[in-house]
Amino acid sequence: MYGDETSVRKILTELGDTWAVVGLSNNRQRAAYGVAEVLQRFGKRVVPVHPKAETVHGEQGYASLADVPFDVDVVDVFVNGELAGAVADEAVAKGARAVWFQLGVVDEAAYDRTRAAGLDMVMDRCPAIEIPRLG
């Protein structure tokens, strides 16, 4: 399984509070918008990463992970499944500590590469669902 409870808890509580949310824009209809709001409510700094580089939820956006001028702890991926593996590779290159693929996003090869690079990873789970359950 790509989202065991130990990994979920570790990413949400131990690996740091700066989350780059790839695919986050000001489109309120997209899941990323609401999930980012929940992450902020639970004390996470949300960094929007989207080609438009919009400011979202009061945080400056960046066009790519490479453009973020500071360290990120977790890369939360809200992109099409075919693009997710490349984002995981960018997270490794950026020096992130973990990668989180949202519900419905599974890429076993990316999971293997990311774990082999020493990062924690969860796939096919949603942090906005998991974080309130931690108590």
Side-chain angles (χ1 to χ4, degrees), residues 54-132:
E54 298 174 313
T55 296
V56 183
H57 298 306
E59 290 285 346
Q60 169 65 47
Y62 299 91
S64 71
L65 273 175
D67 291 341
V68 178
F70 47 82
D71 292 340
V72 297
D73 300 309
V74 181
V75 176
D76 191 4
V77 182
F78 279 93
V79 299
N80 185 302
E82 291 93 46
L83 304 174
V87 175
D89 295 337
E90 292 170 22
V92 171
K94 178 70 179 160
R97 301 173 73 191
V99 175
W100 191 299
F101 281 7
Q102 284 296 318
L103 289 171
V105 180
V106 175
D107 181 331
E108 293 182 13
Y111 182 87
D112 291 342
R113 289 192 311 272
T114 302
R115 297 286 296 157
L119 282 71
D120 288 288
M121 186 165 181
V122 168
M123 295 193 300
D124 195 27
R125 301 280 288 263
C126 179
I129 294 169
E130 303 300 331
I131 200 167

